[in-house]
C-alpha cells in the first residue's frame, strides 16, 4: 500500500489529481459536483500549502502554482453547485492564496470549506467495528509495509525511487490536518498512475481498520486514557482532521489525539439499530432536498433493512402495534421519497416516523429490556425461523421413509447439516471480512424463498397425484426402484439446504441484533430462550414423525401435499415481501392494512397476487386430477 498524498514536492501526484478533477469539469456544469472529491482537494490544499509559502514568500513555485490551480477548480465546481456559501468560501480561499497569507489562515479557510462540503455529501456508512489491533497491525505489515515501512515512516524497501515518496504517517504536523476519511478513500480508490493502487479486495472493515491505524501512528504513545469524549463522535473523528475538531483548544486537541491513538472507545457507543434507522432517514431527507431522489430512496431502504428490521422481533414483544405502524410508515416513506412532490406531506410523514422511532428506542433501551422480554424474543426468533425449515426437512424425510427409501435419508441430512455449517461460516465471514447490507440480505432471502416455494409446489402437486395407495404402489414399482438413482436424489439435498440455510442466515442476524440490545449479564437469558426454543422444535419434530407413521399411505400423501403447498404459499409471500423490502419489487398497498406474518400474508397487491396464484394453480390441478380420476373409473 502506498499513500502519495500530503508529502512535500508531490508534482506527479498533484498533476494526477488535477487531471482527474479536470475530467469531471469537462462535464456540463449543470451536473451536481463531486463534493467528496472537492473535500479531498480542500484537505490537500490545507496540508500542502506550507510547502509553497513561508512568511509571505514563495518557497516552492511549483507547489504555489498548484495551490492556485486547485483553488480555481474548487471555484468552478462550487459555482456548478449553485450554493452561495460554497462559492463564497472557495473565492475567499483563492484570494488568501493569491495574497500569500499564513498557512494557519489557509488551513482555517480549508476547514471551513470542508465543513460545508461535508454537509452536502451523502452520509458515509460508519464502520460498525474495527478489527482487533493485532489483526490490523498484521494486515498493515502484509499490505503496506513494503512501501511505508514497518513503522509507517515511509521507508519501506520498495520505497526507493518512488516519486512521489510514500507518506510518513508518523509526521504529527501533517497528521493534525489529515482526516480518517481521506485515508480511507485513498485505500479504497487508489491514485491512478502511481504506486498507490485501490485495495478493493479488502473488506470495508479491513479498509477502515487500516485507515484508523495509519491515522494513529503519529499519535502513538499519547499519554493518558481518554477521560471524556463529550462533544466528540465517531462521525466527527472520521470526517474531520484533529486540528479542525480542536478549533485551537488545547484540551480538545489532547482528547482528539488520544482518540486517534485509541479510537476503540468510540466504537463502544455506536448507534443502535434504531439510531441507524433515524440517521439514514435524516440523510435521506438531505439527499431529497438536494434533488438526489435515487440516493434518498436508497437511504430510506437502508433505514429499514440495516436499522429497524433488526429490532422488529424485540419490539413485537413490547408493543406490536407500534412495530406495525413504524413498518408501514417506513414503507410509505420510501415511495414518497421517490415519487412525491408534496414536501409538506413528506416532512409530516418523516417527523411522525422519527417520533415513533424515538418511542421505540425508549421501549428498547437497556433499562427497558427485562429478562422476560429478552427470553421471549429469543424464543420467538428461533420458533419463527426454525419452524419453516423443520417442516420442509421433515416432509422430505417422511416422504422417503414412507416410500421405502430410508437409504436416501442421508441426502436430506447432508442438506440440512451443510446449511447449518454454511450459516455459521456466513456469520463468521460477515463479521470478519465482508459487509452484508440489509438490501443484499433481503435479496438473498427473497430469492431463496421463491426458489424453495416453486420446488415445494411442484413436489406437492406430484404427491397429490399419488394419494391413492394403488397409484402409489404402481409408481413405486415402475419408477422408484428403477429410476431414482443417486444423481436424482441430490436434488433433495439442494432443497433441504436452501430451506434451512435461509432460516439459519436470518436467525443469526436477529440474534446478533438482540445481543446488541442487552447487557452482558443478560446473555444467559438469551441463551435459555434459544435452548427452550430448540426443545420446542424437537417436540414438534417428534410428534410429526410419530403421527405420520400411523397414517395410511394415501392419507399421509394427502396431508403432506397440503403441508407442502401451504409452505409454498407462505414462502411465495415472504419471498415477494423480502424483495419489496429490498426495493426490487414495487409496493402497491391494499386499501386496508393487515399482516399475518407466520403465513407470509401482508397487505400489498404483489405478495397477495403471488399467494393467490399458488392457490389457483393448485385448485386447477386438483380439479383436473379429480376429473381425470372419475373418467378412468
Amino acid at each position: 500500500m502506498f499513500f502519495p498524498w500530503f508529502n512535500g514536492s508531490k508534482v506527479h501526484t498533484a498533476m494526477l489529481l488535477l487531471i482527474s478533477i479536470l475530467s469531471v469539469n469537462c462535464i456540463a456544469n449543470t451536473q451536481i459536483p463531486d463534493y467528496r472529491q472537492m473535500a479531498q482537494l480542500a484537505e490537500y490544499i490545507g496540508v500542502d500549502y506550507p510547502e509553497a509559502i513561508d512568511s509571505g514568500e514563495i518557497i516552492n513555485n511549483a507547489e504555489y502554482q498548484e495551490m492556485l490551480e486547485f483553488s480555481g477548480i474548487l471555484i468552478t465546481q462550487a459555482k456548478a453547485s449553485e450554493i452561495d456559501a460554497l462559492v463564497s468560501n472557495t473565492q475567499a480561499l483563492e484570494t488568501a492564496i493569491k495574497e500569500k497569507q499564513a498557512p494557519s489562515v489557509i488551513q482555517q479557510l480549508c476547514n471551513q470549506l470542508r465543513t460545508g462540503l461535508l454537509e452536502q455529501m451523502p452520509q458515509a456508512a460508519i464502520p460498525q467495528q474495527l478489527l482487533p489491533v493485532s489483526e490490523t497491525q498484521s494486515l498493515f505489515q502484509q499490505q503496506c509495509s513494503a512501501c511505508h515501512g514497518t513503522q509507517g515512516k515511509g521507508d519501506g524497501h520498495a520505497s526507493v525511487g518512488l516519486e512521489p515518496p510514500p507518506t510518513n504517517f508518523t509526521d504529527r504536523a501533517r497528521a493534525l490536518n489529515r482526516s480518517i476519511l481521506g485515508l480511507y478513500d485513498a485505500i479504497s480508490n487508489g491514485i491512478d498512475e502511481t504506486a498507490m493502487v485501490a485495495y478493493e479486495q479488502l473488506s470495508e472493515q479491513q479498509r477502515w481498520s487500516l485507515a484508523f491505524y495509519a491515522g494513529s501512528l503519529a499519535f502513538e504513545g499519547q499519554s493518558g486514557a481518554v477521560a471524556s469524549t463529550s462533544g466528540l463522535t465517531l462521525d466527527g473523528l472520521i470526517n474531520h482532521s484533529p486540528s479542525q475538531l480542536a478549533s485551537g483548544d488545547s484540551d480538545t486537541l489532547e482528547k482528539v489525539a488520544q482518540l486517534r491513538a485509541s479510537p476503540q472507545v468510540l466504537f463502544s457507543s455506536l448507534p443502535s439499530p434504531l439510531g441507524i434507522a433515524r440517521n439514514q432517514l435524516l440523510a435521506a431527507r438531505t439527499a431529497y432536498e438536494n434533488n438526489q431522489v435515487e440516493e434518498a430512496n436508497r437511504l430510506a431502504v437502508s433505514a429499514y433493512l440495516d436499522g429497524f428490521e433488526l429490532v422488529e422481533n424485540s419490539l413485537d414483544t413490547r408493543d406490536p402495534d407500534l412495530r406495525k405502524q413504524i413498518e408501514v410508515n417506513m414503507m410509505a416513506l420510501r415511495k414518497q421519497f421517490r415519487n412525491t412532490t408534496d414536501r409538506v406531506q413528506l416532512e409530516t410523514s418523516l417527523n411522525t416516523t422519527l417520533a415513533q422511532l424515538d418511542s421505540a428506542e425508549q421501549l428498547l433501551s437497556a433499562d427497558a429490556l427485562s429478562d422476560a422480554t429478552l427470553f421471549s424474543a429469543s424464543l420467538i426468533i428461533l420458533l419463527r425461523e426454525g419452524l419453516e425449515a423443520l417442516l420442509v426437512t421433515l416432509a422430505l424425510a417422511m416422504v422417503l421413509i414412507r416410500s421405502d427409501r430410508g437409504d436416501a435419508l442421508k441426502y436430506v441430512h447432508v442438506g440440512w447439516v451443510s446449511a447449518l455449517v454454511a450459516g455459521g461460516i456466513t456469520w463468521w465471514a460477515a463479521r470478519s471480512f465482508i459487509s452484508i447490507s440489509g438490501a443484499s440480505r433481503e435479496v438473498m432471502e427473497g430469492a431463496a424463498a421463491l426458489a424453495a416455494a416453486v420446488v415445494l409446489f411442484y413436489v406437492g402437486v406430484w404427491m397429490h397425484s399419488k394419494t391413492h395407495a394403488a397409484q402409489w404402489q404402481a409408481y413405486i414399482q415402475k419408477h422408484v426402484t428403477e429410476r431414482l438413482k443417486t444423481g436424482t436424489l441430490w436434488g433433495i439435498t439442494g432443497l433441504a439446504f436452501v430451506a434451512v440455510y435461509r432460516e439459519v442466515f436470518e436467525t443469526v442476524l436477529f440474534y446478533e441484533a438482540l445481543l446488541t440490545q442487552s447487557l452482558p449479564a443478560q446473555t444467559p437469558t438469551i441463551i435459555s430462550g434459544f435452548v427452550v426454543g430448540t426443545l420446542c422444535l424437537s417436540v414438534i419434530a417428534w410428534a410429526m414423525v410419530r403421527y405420520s407413521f400411523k397414517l395410511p399411505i394415501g392419507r399421509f400423501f394427502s396431508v403432506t401435499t397440503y403441508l407442502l403447498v401451504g409452505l409454498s404459499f407462505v414462502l411465495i409471500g415472504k419471498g415477494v415481501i423480502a424483495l419489496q423490502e429490498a426495493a426490487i419489487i414495487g409496493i402497491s398497498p391494499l386499501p386496508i392494512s393487515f399482516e399475518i406474518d407466520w403465513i407470509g400474508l401482508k397487505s400489498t397487491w404483489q405478495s397477495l397476487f403471488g399467494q393467490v396464484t399458488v392457490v389457483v394453480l393448485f385448485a386447477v390441478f386438483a380439479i383436473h386430477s379429480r376429473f381425470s380420476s372419475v373418467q378412468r373409473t
Side-chain angles (χ1 to χ4, degrees):
M1 184 176 297
F2 168 62
F3 292 83
W5 289 356
F6 313 128
N7 283 283
S9 301
K10 300 177 293 300
V11 177
H12 266 165
T13 305
M15 289 304 296
L16 289 168
L17 274 172
L18 176 59
I19 293 170
S20 175
I21 295 165
L22 283 174
S23 67
V24 173
N25 280 280
C26 291
I27 304 173
N29 285 340
T30 57
Q31 292 195 4
I32 297 175
D34 188 341
Y35 294 116
R36 188 149 174 174
Q37 190 178 63
M38 291 176 68
Q40 293 174 2
L41 187 54
E43 185 169 294
Y44 176 91
I45 292 175
V47 172
D48 213 45
Y49 183 80
E51 297 294 321
I53 298 294
D54 184 25
S55 301
E57 299 294 333
I58 298 175
I59 57 175
N60 186 320
N61 188 61
E63 292 281 355
Y64 181 65
Q65 293 303 318
E66 288 171 3
M67 301 297 103
L68 293 174
E69 196 75 41
F70 292 165
S71 62
I73 293 170
L74 285 172
I75 290 176
T76 301
Q77 293 207 19
K79 289 180 178 178
S81 74
E82 298 182 352
I83 299 175
D84 293 339
L86 292 182
V87 175
S88 175
N89 288 340
T90 54
Q91 288 175 338
L93 176 61
E94 183 184 53
T95 299
I97 292 174
K98 288 181 177 179
E99 293 175 354
K100 305 181 184 63
Q101 294 193 20
S104 59
V105 174
I106 301 300
Q107 183 64 61
Q108 182 178 358
L109 291 171
C110 288
N111 288 343
Q112 183 179 353
L113 173 59
R114 208 167 172 279
T115 298
L117 290 167
L118 287 171
E119 293 175 356
Q120 303 301 322
M121 289 160 41
Q123 187 175 1
I126 295 177
Q128 295 298 299
Q129 193 57 265
L130 298 180
L131 294 173
V133 175
S134 58
E135 290 186 30
T136 305
Q137 290 174 337
S138 177
L139 188 64
F140 183 88
Q141 297 305 319
Q142 295 170 12
Q143 304 289 341
C144 316
S145 62
C147 293
H148 292 285
T150 57
Q151 298 181 354
K153 295 182 178 181
D155 56 356
H157 63 82
S159 66
V160 179
L162 289 181
E163 181 60 38
T167 296
N168 176 7
F169 294 124
T170 64
D171 186 336
R172 187 180 178 105
R174 293 184 175 278
L176 288 173
N177 295 312
R178 183 182 297 129
S179 69
I180 299 296
L181 182 63
L183 294 169
Y184 173 80
D185 284 341
I187 296 170
S188 300
N189 305 322
I191 303 295
D192 292 340
E193 306 300 330
T194 74
M196 181 60 198
V197 298
Y199 281 76
E200 296 177 343
Q201 76 277 14
L202 299 181
S203 69
E204 284 195 12
Q205 185 186 38
Q206 289 175 315
R207 282 177 274 155
W208 278 116
S209 298
L210 284 174
F212 273 95
Y213 179 73
S216 73
L217 294 177
F219 305 98
E220 279 188 343
Q222 190 74 30
S223 60
V226 182
S228 170
T229 61
S230 177
L232 298 174
T233 64
L234 181 59
D235 182 74
L237 192 69
I238 288 174
N239 290 311
H240 303 285
S241 67
S243 61
Q244 191 172 4
L245 289 170
S247 299
D249 183 79
S250 59
D251 290 338
T252 302
L253 183 60
E254 180 72 12
K255 292 178 182 178
V256 173
Q258 292 170 358
L259 286 173
R260 284 287 288 261
S262 304
Q264 288 80 4
V265 64
L266 285 174
F267 282 89
S268 63
S269 57
L270 284 172
S272 66
L274 289 176
I276 292 172
R278 181 182 181 85
N279 292 340
Q280 293 297 74
L281 286 179
L282 292 174
R285 177 169 61 185
T286 300
Y288 182 81
E289 290 172 349
N290 291 326
N291 296 319
Q292 298 173 324
V293 177
E294 290 299 325
E295 177 66 10
N297 184 66
R298 184 192 70 78
L299 289 167
V301 171
S302 173
Y304 177 79
L305 297 178
D306 297 318
F308 180 70
E309 190 188 31
L310 302 183
V311 298
E312 281 186 313
N313 288 313
S314 301
L315 187 57
D316 250 338
T317 65
R318 305 289 298 181
D319 191 337
D321 291 335
L322 178 60
R323 193 272 302 169
K324 292 177 183 178
Q325 291 171 11
I326 295 176
E327 184 176 10
V328 169
N329 288 343
M330 293 188 76
M331 292 292 184
L333 271 175
R334 284 166 43 184
K335 195 170 184 179
Q336 290 177 323
F337 274 123
R338 182 183 289 274
N339 299 321
T340 189
T341 56
D342 188 345
R343 297 198 175 215
V344 175
Q345 179 191 18
L346 174 61
E347 193 66 23
T348 300
S349 299
L350 181 59
N351 289 335
T352 299
T353 305
L354 291 174
Q356 291 173 333
L357 289 174
D358 288 341
S359 299
E361 188 84 70
Q362 293 176 2
L363 283 174
L364 297 178
S365 64
D367 294 335
L369 279 178
S370 65
D371 287 343
T373 299
L374 288 172
F375 177 86
S376 301
S378 178
L379 176 62
I380 290 171
I381 288 172
L382 190 61
L383 289 178
R384 172 184 167 181
E385 305 302 330
L387 192 57
E388 288 177 22
L390 175 65
L391 290 175
V392 174
T393 304
L394 282 180
L396 293 174
M398 295 312 301
V399 167
L400 292 174
I401 292 173
R402 297 302 299 268
S403 306
D404 295 327
R405 289 304 306 266
D407 60 301
L409 281 175
K410 60 185 179 183
Y411 292 94
V412 177
H413 295 321
V414 168
W416 70 263
V417 170
S418 299
L420 292 179
V421 173
I425 293 174
T426 302
W427 171 74
W428 170 74
R431 290 174 61 90
S432 304
F433 299 110
I434 60 178
S435 176
I436 300 178
S437 69
S440 299
R441 181 187 70 243
E442 292 298 330
V443 170
M444 292 168 61
E445 292 175 4
L450 293 180
V454 171
V455 176
L456 288 174
F457 182 81
Y458 171 79
V459 175
V461 167
W462 173 81
M463 292 184 68
H464 185 271
S465 65
K466 307 296 182 293
T467 54
H468 296 292
Q471 294 174 338
W472 175 243
Q473 295 297 333
Y475 181 85
I476 289 291
Q477 183 66 30
K478 182 177 181 181
H479 296 282
V480 174
T481 56
E482 297 178 1
R483 298 176 62 181
L484 277 183
K485 305 300 182 182
T486 300
T488 304
L489 294 176
W490 279 112
I492 295 175
T493 300
L495 180 56
F497 177 87
V498 169
V500 176
Y501 178 74
R502 175 184 178 274
E503 305 304 332
V504 171
F505 183 82
E506 196 167 23
T507 299
V508 168
L509 179 76
F510 287 143
Y511 270 103
E512 191 70 19
L514 192 62
L515 287 169
T516 65
Q517 301 168 60
S518 63
L519 300 172
Q522 294 176 304
T523 300
T525 302
I526 297 175
I527 295 175
S528 64
F530 179 89
V531 171
V532 172
T534 302
L535 292 175
C536 290
L537 291 175
S538 300
V539 172
I540 294 172
W542 174 83
M544 290 184 63
V545 172
R546 183 179 178 84
Y547 180 70
S548 64
F549 273 119
K550 296 181 179 180
L551 287 176
I553 189 69
R555 178 65 61 84
F556 169 78
F557 267 48
S558 178
V559 170
T560 307
T561 292
Y562 290 107
L563 172 63
L564 293 181
V565 173
L567 286 171
S568 177
F569 177 90
V570 172
L571 289 175
I572 205 81
K574 290 191 172 185
V576 171
I577 291 169
L579 294 179
Q580 286 179 317
E581 291 173 349
I584 301 298
I585 295 178
I587 301 175
S588 301
L590 294 171
I592 58 175
S593 178
F594 59 85
E595 178 182 357
I596 309 177
D597 185 69
W598 66 277
I599 60 172
L601 193 61
K602 202 165 188 176
S603 54
T604 74
W605 285 108
Q606 290 85 350
S607 62
L608 190 61
F609 176 78
Q611 292 181 312
V612 169
T613 300
V614 170
V615 174
V616 171
L617 287 177
F618 182 70
V620 170
F621 175 82
I623 294 171
H624 178 268
S625 178
R626 182 176 290 258
F627 180 75
S628 299
S629 177
V630 171
Q631 283 188 326
R632 285 195 298 270
T633 58

